[in-house]
């Protein structure tokens, strides 16, 4: 399946210069059930095993929890993120000053899953810091969803492989809305 690039930039309604919103996102169709994709994106212990772009993760990917991550593009900086979930459907990671809300959305499609990842940036530093960041973020998103797709499709074919079939720490296993 191909990766669709969905970069967008827009100004928030009723806001003046310097208070714009910017969104970056990507999506792909994965030949695996939503539950398998959900297991992949909520399994903090294995994020550094596959090509997620995250080099270190601390904390639990559970609703109301916080995580600290380091990324390939972030160098030695770590990011503290608040996690919210609607198990099996959507997860958001939110951070501060340059406010970024990253949303992972899963949609079942006849035994397959459409995964959308989108990040919307707002805040006082948005206009100043974001322009250099957007192109790197778009490529990072494309790489991330391709890596999720590859891992979920492998795990969907071989459920005995470590990282699938167990319940990620703090996550609720979703129902199978797309079960045949």
């Amino acid at each position: 399946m191909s990766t669709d690039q969905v970069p967008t930039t827009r100004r928030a309604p009723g806001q003046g210069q310097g208070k714009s919103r910017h969104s970056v996102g990507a999506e792909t169709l994965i030949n695996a059930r939503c539950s398998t994709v959900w297991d992949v994106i909520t399994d903090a212990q294995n994020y550094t095993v596959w090509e997620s772009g995250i080099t270190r993760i601390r904390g639990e990917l559970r609703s109301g929890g916080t995580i600290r991550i380091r990324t390939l593009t972030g160098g030695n900086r770590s990011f503290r993120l608040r996690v919210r979930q609607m198990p099996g459907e959507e997860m958001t990671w939110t951070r501060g000053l340059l406010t970024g809300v990253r949303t992972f959305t899963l949609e079942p499609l006849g035994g397959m899953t459409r995964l959308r990842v989108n990040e919307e940036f707002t805040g006082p530093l948005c206009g100043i810091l974001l322009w250099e960041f957007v192109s790197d973020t778009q490529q990072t998103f494309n790489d991330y969803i391709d890596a999720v797709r590859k891992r979920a499709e492998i795990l969907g074919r071989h459920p005995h492989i470590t990282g699938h079939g167990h319940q990620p720490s703090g996550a609720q296993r979703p129902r199978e809305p797309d079960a045949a």
Side-chain angles (χ1 to χ4, degrees):
M1 302 292 153
S2 67
T3 301
D4 299 323
Q5 295 183 5
V6 190
T8 60
T9 302
R10 66 183 182 277
R11 185 161 315 285
Q15 294 190 348
Q17 290 289 72
K19 295 193 178 193
S20 57
R21 292 179 186 230
H22 302 275
S23 293
V24 177
E27 66 180 50
T28 192
L29 190 59
I30 300 172
N31 189 13
R33 296 187 179 279
C34 281
S35 61
T36 301
V37 178
W38 186 257
D39 284 350
V40 170
I41 69 171
T42 59
D43 185 3
Q45 293 175 331
N46 282 309
Y47 252 78
T48 59
V49 172
W50 52 281
E51 299 171 19
S52 67
I54 294 176
T55 59
R56 183 176 175 186
I57 186 168
R58 301 272 188 233
E60 295 181 14
L61 285 170
R62 63 175 175 76
S63 197
T66 58
I67 57 172
R68 283 194 170 281
I69 65 168
R70 284 191 183 165
T71 64
L72 288 173
T73 57
N76 287 330
R77 287 187 348 189
S78 66
F79 302 96
R80 183 178 180 271
L81 307 163
R82 289 184 313 272
V83 179
R84 297 280 181 252
Q85 293 179 351
M86 289 175 34
E89 297 176 26
E90 186 172 275
M91 175 170 58
T92 60
W93 296 357
T94 307
R95 66 175 172 210
L97 204 48
L98 169 61
T99 302
V101 177
R102 182 170 297 183
T103 304
F104 305 78
T105 306
L106 283 69
E107 176 187 351
L109 294 169
M112 298 177 76
T113 304
R114 179 174 311 282
L115 170 65
R116 288 183 185 95
V117 180
N118 186 69
E119 188 154 8
E120 185 166 296
F121 300 95
T122 59
L125 299 180
C126 187
I128 298 168
L129 298 177
L130 196 61
W131 292 111
E132 292 177 26
F133 187 68
V134 169
S135 64
D136 288 342
T137 301
Q138 184 64 59
Q139 186 58 51
T140 299
F141 277 24
N142 293 338
D143 293 346
Y144 174 82
I145 64 170
D146 283 342
V148 170
R149 181 183 47 76
K150 288 175 189 171
R151 182 157 178 87
E153 288 177 353
I154 288 169
L155 294 176
R157 285 191 301 266
H158 306 286
H160 63 279
I161 295 174
T162 303
H164 180 69
H166 79 283
Q167 185 162 329
S169 179
Q172 295 178 9
R173 185 161 182 90
R175 292 187 334 247
E176 283 290 341
D178 54 343

